């Protein structure tokens, strides 16, 4: 009996040893992270954005409308930058292989409506395919949501039909490869506008990046972030996350396209306002009105640029969700905190960093929900342990 009990004890000891060894190997890595300076003196420009989100997934299609062939590429929500290069390539391929495009030649006029990130990448991809008669039409070209967007590569603030998920993932993978080339300095046309930095999330599911793991990204790691304030956070880290410096990339795209593409400032109210037989609708929120698409809604976002920071301290990205509430105007708001090393070209070298953000579906420009800026900063300070 004693021998039997001794054997059991020995087995239990082995299990405890193995378990402890596994637990030790799975201990989260400790990392010291310097928070940005978030006192009022270090807060810069407050920015309000409206993202175009389409319920049921982005509109990626080609159709015949009257005498025109119209391709649609809009409704990406908060993932316009994440998906733009892949989305442009996907829709352009649909267009050039469409049965409606049998008469599409390399010098056939093609008009792109919209000069945001989707419109510019659409023009860029057409140029790569050898098309030489491209016009971008928009009512304005500066200070767009695409310039002001935060810049995290992650599929967020979208509403996807599960049937479209495989397409969205393919588009995202293609976009990641594009930005990775830019970040590594191996892209033939762009050397600035994307950087590989660690990206931190509460968990893998909320990152939206798991479909990329094993294909273009390494698995996430369990980490403990120490902010040096007495506050630590258990998070997951994707060390090959990509930050898109959106204003810089918009400038790079525009500079590349100007010698190759015509830019026309004009308000387009209907497709008949355009002379071209081939049209690509990339007009963001305006795309829904052009296409009589009631599934398109604005998703309002708030962010604040930072100033007088140490740029080297902020070479990381964080995104965490705080939950849902109601704004003073009665709309549902999904509050979050993010920090990215964004820099606006016209600002000083130490004016680096952006803090956001909100996702308020249905809010318009005449409903700015200004109080969300203060709520957002309070959440950011609490996250880092900067409040007393």
């Amino acid at each position: 009996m004693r021998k039997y009990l001794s054997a059991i004890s020995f087995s239990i000891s082995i299990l405890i040893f193995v378990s402890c060894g596994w637990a030790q190997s799975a201990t989260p890595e400790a990392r010291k992270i310097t928070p940005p300076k978030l006192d009022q003196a270090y807060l810069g420009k407050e920015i309000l954005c409206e993202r175009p989100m389409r319920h049921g997934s982005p509109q990626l299609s080609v159709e015949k409308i009257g005498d025109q062939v119209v391709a649609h590429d809009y409704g990406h929500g908060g993932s316009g930058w994440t998906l733009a290069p892949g989305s442009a390539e996907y829709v352009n391929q649909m267009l050039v292989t469409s049965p409606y495009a049998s008469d599409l030649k390399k010098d056939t006029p093609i008009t792109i409506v919209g000069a945001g990130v989707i419109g510019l990448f659409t023009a860029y991809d057409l140029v790569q395919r050898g098309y030489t008669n491209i016009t971008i039409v928009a009512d304005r070209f500066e200070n767009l949501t695409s310039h002001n967007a935060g810049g995290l590569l992650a599929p967020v603030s979208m509403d996807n039909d599960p049937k479209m998920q495989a397409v969205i993932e393919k588009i995202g993978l293609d976009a990641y490869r594009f930005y990775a080339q830019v970040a590594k300095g191996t892209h033939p046309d762009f050397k600035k506008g994307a950087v590989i930095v660690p990206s931190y999330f509460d968990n893998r599911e909320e990152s939206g990046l798991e479909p990329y793991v094993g294909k273009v990204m390494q698995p996430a790691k369990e980490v403990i972030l120490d902010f040096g304030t007495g506050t630590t956070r258990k998070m997951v880290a994707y060390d090959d996350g990509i930050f898109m410096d959106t204003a810089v990339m918009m400038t790079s795209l525009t500079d590349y396209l100007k010698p190759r593409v015509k830019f026309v400032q004009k308000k387009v109210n209907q497709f008949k306002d355009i002379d071209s037989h081939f049209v690509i609708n990339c007009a963001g929120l305006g795309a829904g009105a052009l296409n009589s698409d009631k599934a398109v809604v604005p998703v309002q976002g708030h962010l604040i640029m930072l100033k007088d920071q140490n740029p080297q301290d902020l070479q990381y990205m964080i995104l965490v969700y705080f939950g849902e509430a109601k704004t003073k105007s009665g709309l549902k708001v999904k509050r979050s905190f993010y920090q990215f090393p964004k820099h606006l070209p016209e600002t000083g070298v130490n004016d680096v960093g952006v803090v956001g953000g909100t996702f308020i579906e249905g809010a318009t420009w005449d409903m700015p929900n200004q109080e969300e800026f203060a709520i957002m900063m309070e959440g950011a300070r609490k996250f880092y342990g900067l409040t007393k």
Side-chain angles (χ1 to χ4, degrees):
M1 183 66 176
R2 288 179 180 176
K3 290 183 178 180
Y4 178 71
L5 290 174
S6 297
I8 292 177
S9 299
F10 179 77
S11 299
I12 292 173
S13 297
I14 292 292
L15 283 172
I16 291 173
F17 175 81
V18 171
S19 297
C20 289
W22 176 86
Q24 186 174 2
S25 66
T27 300
E29 174 189 344
R31 297 186 181 184
K32 292 186 180 297
I33 296 290
T34 301
K37 293 176 278 190
L38 297 180
D39 292 339
Q40 192 63 39
Y42 299 101
L43 304 186
K45 183 180 180 182
E46 294 183 348
I47 298 175
L48 198 66
C49 292
E50 287 199 351
R51 317 166 182 93
M53 185 179 78
R54 183 175 185 272
H55 288 299
S57 78
Q59 179 63 276
L60 313 171
S61 63
V62 178
E63 63 177 332
K64 191 82 177 289
I65 300 178
D67 295 330
Q68 294 173 299
V69 177
V70 180
H72 301 288
D73 191 357
Y74 64 84
H76 301 71
S79 299
W81 273 98
T82 295
L83 301 177
S87 185
E89 182 180 354
Y90 180 82
V91 172
N92 285 345
Q93 182 65 18
M94 290 178 67
L95 174 63
V96 301
T97 59
S98 165
Y100 303 129
S102 58
D103 58 339
L104 178 60
K105 306 292 191 295
K106 296 298 184 182
D107 60 351
T108 299
I110 303 174
T111 298
I112 298 166
V113 185
V117 62
I118 304 293
L120 295 188
F121 269 117
T122 295
Y124 174 76
D125 181 72
L126 287 173
V127 169
Q128 300 311 297
R129 293 171 186 263
Y131 291 92
T132 59
N133 195 351
I134 303 164
T135 301
I136 298 176
V137 177
D139 59 348
R140 59 192 180 97
F141 296 98
E142 300 296 332
N143 198 31
L144 305 175
T145 294
S146 293
H147 293 89
N148 292 322
L152 165 71
L153 193 154
V156 298
S157 184
M158 297 181 70
D159 183 13
N160 286 339
D161 186 325
K163 296 176 183 176
M164 283 289 291
Q165 195 57 39
V167 171
I168 297 300
E169 288 176 9
K170 178 192 182 303
I171 288 171
L173 289 168
D174 289 342
Y176 184 97
R177 294 185 184 101
F178 174 91
Y179 292 124
Q181 277 192 300
V182 177
K184 293 173 183 177
T186 59
H187 196 280
D189 299 317
F190 305 108
K191 304 303 179 185
K192 297 187 298 182
V195 185
I196 295 175
V197 295
S199 302
Y200 299 105
F201 303 86
D202 270 338
N203 54 65
R204 290 168 174 81
E205 182 180 4
E206 288 185 355
S207 75
L209 294 173
E210 283 302 293
Y212 300 0
V213 171
K215 301 181 178 75
V216 293
M217 297 185 73
Q218 297 298 313
K221 302 173 183 176
E222 306 284 340
V223 298
I224 299 289
L225 300 188
D226 182 351
F227 302 126
T229 61
T231 296
T232 60
R233 302 279 181 186
K234 184 177 180 181
M235 306 194 78
V236 297
Y238 295 85
D239 285 335
D240 47 2
I242 295 182
F243 165 67
M244 291 120 8
D245 209 340
T246 56
V248 173
M249 195 74 219
M250 286 290 284
T251 298
S252 297
L253 279 164
T254 301
D255 290 346
Y256 177 89
L257 291 171
K258 276 186 174 177
R260 300 169 174 88
V261 172
K262 289 177 282 188
F263 286 77
V264 176
Q265 189 165 0
K266 174 184 176 181
K267 175 71 174 176
V268 177
N269 296 307
Q270 55 185 344
F271 293 123
K272 290 181 180 179
D273 294 342
I274 300 167
D275 294 333
S276 301
H277 179 60
F278 291 95
V279 178
I280 307 178
N281 179 16
C282 306
L285 281 172
L290 277 175
N291 198 32
S292 300
D293 189 345
K294 295 181 180 179
V296 179
V297 296
V299 179
Q300 190 178 81
H302 298 72
L303 53 121
I304 299 178
M305 296 301 302
L306 305 180
K307 60 184 181 180
D308 298 329
Q309 306 285 326
N310 183 352
Q312 294 306 312
D313 288 342
L314 303 184
Q315 298 308 304
Y316 62 87
M317 297 188 289
I318 286 180
L319 172 61
V320 295
Y321 293 103
F322 291 152
E324 295 184 353
K326 290 278 188 179
T327 66
K328 285 186 177 180
S329 58
L331 293 176
K332 183 171 71 174
V333 53
K334 187 175 184 180
R335 294 190 177 119
S336 66
F337 159 65
Y338 63 68
Q339 192 288 132
F340 312 141
K342 182 179 175 67
H343 175 251
L344 297 177
E346 70 274 12
T347 60
V349 293
N350 291 330
D351 295 340
V352 174
V354 62
V355 169
T358 56
F359 302 86
I360 309 175
E361 186 176 325
T364 56
W365 293 112
D366 59 357
M367 189 186 296
N369 297 293
Q370 290 284 346
E371 71 280 358
E372 291 296 328
F373 286 112
I375 295 171
M376 182 178 71
M377 290 309 304
E378 181 184 3
R381 294 183 183 112
K382 284 182 178 178
F383 178 83
Y384 281 120
L386 297 173
T387 55
K388 296 180 180 179

